[in-house]
Amino acid sequence: MVKRFIVLLIIVWCAMLAVVGADSKQEPRFYDEVVGTYAIKIPSGDKNLLYVTYFKKADGLYFIQTWDKRVYKLDRISDNPIKLHSVGDGYDHVFSRDNKGRIDGVIASKGKLHFSGAKRPEIEKIRIGDRYSREALMADFDQLVSVILYLHPAKYDYISESQFKKLVDATRKQLNRPMRMHEFYATVTPLMASIGCAHSFIQPTKSYRQDPTLRYLPLELSVIDRRLFIRSVVGKQRTELIGAELISINGTSVSKMIPEMMAAISSDWNNPQYKVFALNQRFRYLFYYLYGSATTYRLQYRGKGDRRIQALALSGIDREANRDWLKKRRQRQRSSQASYRLEIKERGSIALLSIRHFEFYKNKDEKAFKSFVDRTFYELRQKGIRKLILDIRGNMGGSPIVSQYLLSFLIQKPFRYFMEIHSEGYQQLYDPVHPAEDLFKGEIVLLADNGCLSTSGHFISLYRYHRVGKIVGVETGTTFTCTDASMVMHLVHTDIWLKIARRRFTAAVKGFTRGEGIVPDFVVKSSVEDMVNNRDRQMEKAIEILKYK
């Protein structure tokens, strides 16, 4: 009997060891308590800014996902209180409990930094059919507002603090129901645009932009004097429609649509000229973002030279058809749309230097661009060409280093590029730059337009400040100061893509007005007839100026 009892004790003891051993290989149960959403408060001046942080569990491991979508693995430090360490950013997280013993908050600490946050009630349904829940939308809106307040360096340059607060409150009141992606985007993107920064904007989630069921409006359109004209029909030869004026699309009038679309476009100091450029470049995408997709687009329009309003229905095009059309167009335009090129015109008397962008950040690309510039101005000197058209229309910016390098061949004396030091890595842009060996000493006309943005604004303002030459075109989409050093993140629930600028960069110039684009010496606007006939009046004017000098 005793032996049997001893054997039974041994069996029970071994079973207990097995259970303990199995439990020791499992993650502690307390991890499941901390999983959830936390509203983290980060002090900024006299305010606490709100960010959404997630503690998550995946594949048996535990992670923290920060407000800017960075993910770090969690290691256990202690049980009472629960304390976890995030590997990668070095923060320790201590969790608090309410009077019923439930996790209700967290304090994140690293050195002298301490941030606190309350655990949020779970949002039970992020999606309700094809709509997002009101709770999910409100959480994402709070995250968007916090990111603007905490990160943007010039949020109150264009809009005052009180005006921004009123707009936040008004937008929050509109988020009173579940919404589809395009409805939420249309509601909140004017707030993003209100701060007047072309480098800070949002886009619908990638899955929405790549929805296989979407059908784009099959038109390329141009806004001229607040009216909308057909530039081409995607994939079809409908020459009778080119130059026709659109009156409405699917029942929405153009007079209502254009202000709504312009309010959704971010531009420096809310410059309307750049908004027009953006509409002309991306109309069908912005239409989809704001108004959704349609299988058939019902149009009302006036034909060229015809005051009658006519009706037309066009089938929407899917992403593949749109991509194929864009590919064919790029192939047709390949030579004229090269990043940079040099042409000799007017029987060798005028050189045309076209620079489509300054986006040469990689070392090999920067070297290639600088080598091209070296060859260009050496060739001009060798051939004795003393008249130059520099075309940077549609140049939306890029590296200030290559912009400065190009200017060293145009400005006749030492100059500084930036006014003051804004970030590491650009020290050379604050030091005086001396003219290049093959400095161009002839007559120059710069072609600029409302597509000139960011670094192009620095370039044009320095060009004018140092009186390099005349400018032909229309008011630029930017000015002598702008922002960038942007950060990209996603809103937590909708996964909307968000880009936010973090630093300001100002060209070393004086006498310019903040908030205004740079107006050319010769303003030359394109008409509907110019668009239909593919006539470039701005280029004609530049050649005219140089020919008779």
Side-chain angles (χ1 to χ4, degrees):
M1 192 73 177
V2 175
K3 288 182 179 180
R4 187 177 298 175
F5 180 72
I6 292 172
V7 170
L8 183 60
L9 280 175
I10 293 172
I11 292 173
V12 172
W13 182 69
C14 290
M16 290 176 64
L17 284 177
V19 170
V20 171
D23 284 346
S24 66
K25 295 178 182 177
Q26 296 175 358
E27 295 290 345
R29 285 188 174 185
F30 70 71
Y31 277 114
D32 293 338
E33 291 185 76
V34 305
V35 169
T37 310
Y38 293 75
I40 305 296
K41 294 179 180 179
I42 299 180
S44 178
D46 60 348
K47 299 180 180 178
N48 285 321
L49 305 180
L50 185 67
Y51 295 85
V52 178
T53 294
Y54 276 86
F55 287 85
K56 293 186 170 186
K57 178 180 179 180
D59 299 327
L61 299 175
Y62 294 81
F63 301 88
I64 179 174
Q65 177 179 301
T66 59
W67 60 275
D68 57 353
K69 278 258 177 176
R70 299 183 185 186
V71 177
Y72 303 107
K73 181 179 176 294
L74 292 168
D75 283 346
R76 171 186 175 187
I77 297 177
S78 66
D79 297 354
N80 190 20
I82 297 173
K83 186 175 183 179
L84 308 177
H85 177 76
S86 53
V87 180
D89 69 350
Y91 277 91
D92 292 333
H93 307 277
V94 179
F95 295 84
S96 60
R97 297 182 183 275
D98 60 19
N99 55 14
K100 294 183 179 180
R102 299 171 301 193
I103 297 292
D104 68 349
V106 63
I107 296 177
S109 304
K110 184 172 72 170
K112 296 181 179 180
L113 298 175
H114 302 279
F115 307 131
S116 64
K119 189 175 183 182
R120 284 188 162 187
E122 290 300 318
I123 298 175
E124 293 182 1
K125 290 185 178 180
I126 304 300
R127 298 288 293 272
I128 304 172
D130 62 346
R131 292 172 171 83
Y132 294 86
S133 71
R134 179 180 179 274
E135 292 79 8
L137 300 178
M138 290 295 289
D140 277 11
F141 180 67
D142 287 343
Q143 181 189 358
L144 173 62
V145 172
S146 295
V147 168
I148 294 172
L149 292 176
Y150 183 64
L151 289 180
H152 200 276
K155 51 190 170 287
Y156 300 133
D157 270 6
Y158 177 77
I159 188 172
S160 70
E161 184 174 0
S162 61
Q163 289 173 324
F164 183 77
K165 187 178 183 302
K166 286 179 182 178
L167 187 55
V168 169
D169 293 340
T171 305
R172 187 174 277 116
K173 288 179 181 178
Q174 295 178 58
L175 301 174
N176 55 9
R177 59 184 174 81
M179 291 183 175
R180 296 182 176 90
M181 171 61 70
H182 72 270
E183 294 172 322
F184 179 60
Y185 175 85
T187 301
V188 302
T189 195
L191 177 76
M192 185 84 252
S194 73
I195 63 174
C197 174
H199 293 91
S200 300
F201 54 90
I202 61 174
Q203 285 186 346
T205 179
K206 184 177 180 180
S207 61
Y208 181 80
R209 300 196 308 269
Q210 297 183 355
D211 184 345
T213 66
L214 82 83
R215 296 295 181 268
Y216 286 121
L217 175 70
L219 297 174
E220 284 201 313
L221 302 165
S222 287
V223 176
I224 299 176
D225 295 328
R226 291 272 177 166
R227 297 159 67 191
L228 195 58
F229 296 91
I230 298 175
R231 207 161 64 235
S232 67
V233 181
V234 176
K236 295 182 179 180
Q237 295 295 324
R238 298 290 299 268
T239 54
E240 78 280 5
L241 292 176
I242 297 176
E245 180 185 359
L246 276 185
I247 306 301
S248 70
I249 303 174
N250 286 348
T252 301
S253 68
V254 168
S255 60
K256 177 177 182 293
M257 189 185 308
I258 288 180
E260 289 178 346
M261 296 182 82
M262 290 185 69
I265 297 171
S266 294
S267 68
D268 288 341
W269 303 87
N270 263 334
N271 184 319
Q273 307 303 323
Y274 174 71
K275 290 174 183 273
V276 169
F277 174 82
L279 270 179
N280 292 347
Q281 295 295 308
R282 307 193 301 271
F283 189 96
R284 63 179 174 278
Y285 305 109
L286 288 168
F287 185 92
Y288 171 56
Y289 294 170
L290 291 168
Y291 305 107
S293 174
T295 304
T296 302
Y297 289 91
R298 295 173 288 104
L299 312 176
Q300 287 187 318
Y301 72 99
R302 289 193 183 97
K304 291 175 293 185
D306 191 346
R307 296 188 60 82
R308 293 175 305 157
I309 295 180
Q310 304 178 56
L312 175 69
L314 293 176
S315 298
I317 57 171
D318 60 24
R319 289 180 60 246
E320 184 176 354
N322 183 62
R323 189 167 51 243
D324 289 345
W325 186 85
L326 290 174
K327 182 179 179 181
K328 291 176 182 177
R329 186 182 68 174
R330 281 194 297 269
Q331 289 173 344
R332 292 194 302 269
Q333 297 176 339
R334 183 165 293 168
S335 60
S336 63
Q337 295 298 317
S339 297
Y340 44 82
R341 63 181 180 138
L342 175 68
E343 299 175 76
I344 307 301
K345 304 175 79 69
E346 298 298 313
R347 298 180 179 179
S349 63
I350 298 176
L352 170 61
L353 175 58
S354 302
I355 311 290
R356 294 293 169 226
H357 61 83
F358 291 121
E359 294 178 5
F360 309 113
Y361 292 102
K362 294 181 180 179
N363 188 49
K364 66 174 183 178
D365 295 334
E366 180 183 319
K367 286 183 176 179
F369 179 78
K370 287 181 175 179
S371 177
F372 166 77
V373 172
D374 291 341
R375 294 194 308 272
T376 293
F377 287 95
Y378 175 79
E379 179 180 344
L380 297 184
R381 185 167 64 85
Q382 290 295 309
K383 292 182 176 179
I385 297 175
R386 295 185 54 80
K387 295 182 179 182
L388 172 65
I389 298 172
L390 178 54
D391 186 0
I392 63 167
R393 290 175 295 178
N395 185 323
M396 296 177 67
S399 168
I401 292 174
V402 298
S403 171
Q404 178 201 55
Y405 191 75
L406 179 57
L407 282 167
S408 71
F409 288 82
L410 306 176
I411 298 176
Q412 307 290 316
K413 59 184 179 181
F415 69 96
R416 281 196 307 136
Y417 190 87
F418 279 148
M419 183 73 73
E420 56 189 29
I421 296 178
H422 300 273
S423 66
E424 297 177 1
Y426 283 157
Q427 181 60 47
Q428 68 195 78
L429 300 176
Y430 311 101
D431 299 331
V433 178
H434 292 274
E437 181 179 344
D438 287 319
L439 176 70
F440 187 79
K441 297 180 180 180
E443 300 291 336
I444 305 178
V445 172
L446 177 68
L447 289 175
D449 66 2
N450 51 349
C452 293
L453 195 69
S454 189
T455 292
S456 290
H458 299 145
F459 181 94
I460 298 167
S461 60
L462 286 161
Y463 175 97
R464 167 162 284 177
Y465 180 70
H466 291 284
R467 300 180 180 180
V468 174
K470 298 297 184 182
I471 304 176
V472 171
V474 295
E475 182 181 341
T476 61
T478 189
T479 185
F480 68 100
T481 181
C482 70
T483 59
D484 202 5
S486 302
M487 173 184 286
V488 173
M489 62 192 75
H490 296 258
L491 300 185
V492 172
H493 299 99
T494 57
D495 203 37
I496 277 180
W497 187 93
L498 163 64
K499 183 180 180 184
I500 188 79
R502 295 182 296 165
R503 293 191 181 96
R504 184 205 295 281
F505 298 89
T506 303
V509 297
K510 295 179 181 178
F512 288 76
T513 303
R514 294 173 68 185
E516 295 182 2
I518 300 168
V519 179
D521 301 292
F522 299 90
V523 175
V524 180
K525 297 181 179 180
S526 297
S527 65
V528 178
E529 290 73 23
D530 295 335
M531 179 191 72
V532 172
N533 298 319
N534 200 26
R535 182 176 180 180
D536 190 348
R537 287 186 182 272
Q538 294 168 356
M539 182 66 73
E540 291 174 7
K541 183 63 178 180
I543 292 173
E544 175 191 322
I545 291 170
L546 291 177
K547 279 181 71 174
Y548 297 104
K549 273 209 170 191

